[in-house]
Amino acid sequence: MTMTPSRPLSLITGASSGIGAAFARQLAALGHDLVLTARRADRLETLAAELFGQHDTKVTVLPHDLANPAAPQELADALDQHGLQVDWLINNAGYGLPGSFDANDWTAHADFLQVLLTAPTELAWRLLPGMRQRGYGRIINVASLAGHVPGPAGHTLYAATKAYLIKFSQSLALENHTAGVNVCALCPGFTWSEFHDITRTRDKMNKMPGFMWLSAEDVVHQGIAAVERGQAVYIPGRVNRTIKTVVQLMPDRLAMWLSARESKRYRNTSA
């Protein structure tokens, strides 16, 4: 039997900006208390003060760098020390690593895989048992439309990690839906955020037509609704859903050719 808590507690990774901050604001407005984590403690504290002022939200700030392999365990230990039981896990932390595969050293790749693949998997593993025991939980793994289409040149590991999160979410959803735990891979396309500033592709991305973009607020609103419906995979935006369907119907060779052509417009494929 699903027992929805009166004030669910949500842990949001990568909460300092973009989609993560949008999740914090919308979940606070829905009556959630929050645990926010990211590297930039000052931004988390500013956001926490904003949400307390607007919604009387209890916000616990736990700064961590998820590139550190010890971070998920440390987060779980800190939650225990604060007596906090997480009802919603938003695995949102992520970034892009521009350039061809051999243009980056292995440390950069290892950190990337730790943040985008290993950390969300471990956090789900550590927090899922409590959700099952209480008969209620929500896990949103922020994946990407990139996980549904051929991987482009440049950002070599990005699409691969997002495809993993999609399959991982599907399996978790099947394993846990009868225990009151819904799992959703949220797969946005182009979203207004700092992502493309950090990857130094903003000038290229500004050439993309406006109809290709969604706001972080729209992505999050649709994602929350999708996980509540029990939808294991959700792509926000009609244009993005159309792209996924068209690509799936194409022969692989044609899809790869289109990916190669389009990636030159908005990816850094060299060092």
Side-chain angles (χ1 to χ4, degrees), residues 22-71:
F23 264 114
R25 292 186 173 100
Q26 292 192 33
L27 290 172
L30 290 172
H32 291 222
D33 289 326
L34 303 174
V35 178
L36 306 180
T37 188
R39 292 176 300 167
R40 296 176 288 191
D42 56 338
R43 288 200 177 193
L44 296 178
E45 294 289 356
T46 299
L47 180 58
E50 171 195 327
L51 299 178
F52 178 76
Q54 291 182 354
H55 305 290
D56 201 26
T57 304
K58 180 181 178 182
V59 183
T60 304
V61 172
L62 299 175
H64 280 278
D65 183 356
L66 291 180
N68 176 4

Side-chain angles (χ1 to χ4, degrees), residues 12-267:
I12 305 169
T13 72
S16 60
S17 64
I19 290 175
F23 264 114
R25 292 186 173 100
Q26 292 192 33
L27 290 172
L30 290 172
H32 291 222
D33 289 326
L34 303 174
V35 178
L36 306 180
T37 188
R39 292 176 300 167
R40 296 176 288 191
D42 56 338
R43 288 200 177 193
L44 296 178
E45 294 289 356
T46 299
L47 180 58
E50 171 195 327
L51 299 178
F52 178 76
Q54 291 182 354
H55 305 290
D56 201 26
T57 304
K58 180 181 178 182
V59 183
T60 304
V61 172
L62 299 175
H64 280 278
D65 183 356
L66 291 180
N68 176 4
Q73 174 73 72
E74 291 173 353
L75 265 173
D77 291 344
L79 292 169
D80 288 341
Q81 291 166 8
H82 285 81
L84 299 173
Q85 296 180 326
V86 171
D87 302 298
W88 285 55
L89 169 61
I90 313 296
N91 275 318
N92 166 73
Y95 59 98
L97 188 62
S100 62
F101 186 58
D102 60 351
N104 292 287
D105 60 31
W106 179 247
T107 300
H109 288 311
D111 288 350
F112 183 87
L113 290 170
Q114 176 65 35
V115 173
L116 275 83
L117 191 153
T118 304
T121 306
E122 183 176 350
L123 284 172
W125 180 80
R126 293 191 178 281
L127 299 178
L128 179 61
M131 295 179 184
R132 289 180 58 92
Q133 184 179 22
R134 296 187 298 275
Y136 175 83
R138 302 289 184 263
I139 298 174
I140 297 178
N141 294 314
V142 179
S144 172
L145 177 63
H148 292 282
V149 300
H155 296 270
T156 318
L157 297 178
Y158 187 81
T161 59
K162 297 305 186 179
Y164 165 84
L165 285 178
I166 293 167
K167 298 300 183 184
F168 174 56
S169 299
Q170 288 173 324
S171 294
L172 275 188
L174 290 172
E175 291 173 2
N176 292 284
H177 73 281
T178 59
V181 179
N182 294 353
V183 183
C184 178
L186 177 60
C187 304
F190 297 116
T191 305
W192 295 112
S193 71
E194 295 180 354
F195 181 91
H196 302 292
D197 299 308
I198 295 170
T199 59
R200 304 185 303 278
T201 56
R202 174 60 62 194
D203 289 344
K204 292 184 178 182
M205 300 313 298
N206 285 342
K207 298 176 183 177
M208 299 291 295
F211 67 83
M212 295 288 294
W213 293 86
L214 288 177
S215 69
E217 291 73 21
D218 283 342
V219 168
V220 168
H221 179 75
Q222 294 183 47
I224 291 172
V227 76
E228 289 284 45
R229 289 194 302 268
Q231 199 160 346
V233 179
Y234 183 75
I235 302 172
R238 186 176 301 171
V239 170
N240 294 324
R241 291 191 289 272
T242 300
I243 290 171
K244 183 247 188 181
T245 299
V246 170
V247 168
Q248 284 187 326
L249 294 173
M250 286 181 182
D252 287 348
R253 182 174 295 183
L254 176 58
M256 288 283 289
W257 177 80
L258 283 173
S259 175
R261 188 189 72 175
E262 294 301 312
S263 67
K264 293 177 182 178
R265 301 183 182 183
Y266 57 88
R267 301 288 187 192

